[in-house]
Amino acid sequence: MQDTATFQDLLREGADASVDGWDFSWFDGRATEQRPSWGYLKLMAAQMRVARAALDIQTGGGEVLSEVPAFPPVTVATEHWPPNLRLARRALEPRGVRVVDVAEDAPFPFPDETFALVVSRHPNVVLWDEIARVLTPGGRYLAQQIGPGSNRELAQFLTGPREISDERSPARAAADARAAGLVIDELRHEALPTTFNDVAAVVHFLRKVIWTVPDFTVDRYRARLADLHDHIRHHGPFVAHAQRILVRAHKPEH
């Protein structure tokens, strides 16, 4: 009975936690994810120091962009999900960043050749043609993207074996960037351990990072969550691997 009660409490805790924004501090002590070796924030901050105009695509709640010490004279961020949009405006607009409501799959509402720098961390949709269009000649694109089959071990524990699409692969990113007229300067891929210490962390993660198991609900996957809870109790933390890609590219001069 105690095990069942603990499991129910953990499910409730994970289900009740807010998923607004991209602040992952809730996971402290419950889950960890190794960070890529390239240090995206440091790379972005260095590019921001020398750009005259920059665009951050799908900024979330502005958590990463707000860590940049100094912004270019013109800095714009896009976001669409209302809870994140509110957080981003609260964090970024006092520092002079304009936050624009733009859907992930919508054309950018900006003129051609507006930005010397376009950045994005974990975009759900990458519109390469739009990125190339709004970059100035010689302008740069910097992104940390989600790689193919990210945290597949967790997804497959819940859903069973699944085919891993090449949609998010480094090769696909390179091909799409080149097709849009960009030149690839650097392309790196790393698989990084993600460790879950309890099933509440799993529930919260799957509610927050919705592309891992797109049809996830606690009720739909309750039986497999119970199996995962037992697995963690008997074998220790559950380890999956986040897939991350670094893309650095530029738009050729005319």
Side-chain angles (χ1 to χ4, degrees):
M1 293 297 292
Q2 181 60 38
D3 288 342
T4 301
T6 301
F7 172 63
Q8 298 295 346
D9 290 343
L10 290 169
L11 288 187
R12 188 176 303 108
E13 191 172 356
D16 288 346
S18 171
V19 294
D20 292 354
W22 288 111
D23 178 3
F24 283 75
S25 60
W26 183 92
F27 290 99
D28 290 351
R30 314 193 78 142
T32 59
E33 179 183 293
Q34 183 177 317
R35 297 305 180 200
S37 62
W38 48 73
Y40 173 77
L41 178 58
K42 184 185 296 184
L43 294 174
M44 180 173 64
Q47 293 289 328
M48 289 276 181
R49 281 197 296 271
V50 298
R52 295 295 298 171
L55 170 65
D56 182 27
I57 302 168
Q58 298 171 41
T59 195
E63 296 86 358
V64 178
L65 186 59
S66 64
E67 292 294 317
V68 173
F71 294 127
V74 175
T75 305
V76 180
T78 70
E79 181 53 46
H80 182 62
W81 194 45
N84 282 355
L85 189 62
R86 288 192 295 270
L87 290 172
R89 285 175 169 160
R90 188 182 310 152
L92 298 171
E93 288 184 344
R95 295 186 59 193
V97 177
R98 184 160 65 101
V99 181
V100 182
D101 184 349
V102 181
E104 294 176 345
D105 57 353
F108 302 154
F110 312 116
D112 296 356
E113 301 183 358
T114 298
F115 301 101
L117 175 66
V118 175
V119 301
S120 192
R121 180 179 180 272
H122 302 177
N124 192 35
V125 178
V126 182
L127 300 179
W128 291 104
D129 288 341
E130 283 295 283
I131 292 166
R133 181 183 66 78
V134 300
L135 277 173
T136 58
R140 300 194 171 275
Y141 176 65
L142 168 69
Q144 180 174 297
Q145 298 181 181
I146 300 163
S150 193
N151 292 303
R152 69 187 70 177
E153 300 93 339
L154 177 59
Q156 291 180 348
F157 189 100
L158 295 180
T159 68
R162 56 168 58 184
E163 183 178 349
I164 303 302
S165 168
D166 74 340
E167 182 179 355
R168 295 181 180 271
S169 70
R172 181 72 171 271
D176 289 347
R178 293 182 182 118
L182 301 178
V183 176
I184 295 291
D185 300 310
E186 184 177 11
L187 188 64
R188 297 171 62 183
H189 176 215
E190 292 182 357
L192 306 158
T194 305
T195 302
F196 299 93
N197 296 333
D198 63 34
V199 77
V202 171
V203 169
H204 184 47
F205 179 84
L206 293 174
R207 292 176 56 239
K208 196 174 187 74
V209 187
I210 57 175
W211 50 82
T212 307
V213 180
D215 67 343
F216 177 79
T217 65
V218 170
D219 287 342
R220 180 175 289 124
Y221 286 97
R222 183 179 296 270
R224 291 303 287 157
L225 289 168
D227 293 339
L228 185 53
H229 173 66
D230 290 339
H231 177 91
I232 292 172
R233 285 196 306 117
H234 291 108
H235 303 288
F238 185 88
V239 179
H241 290 83
Q243 307 292 323
R244 299 290 180 258
I245 300 171
L246 176 70
V247 183
R248 301 179 76 167
H250 73 275
K251 182 175 179 176
E253 302 279 357
H254 289 315

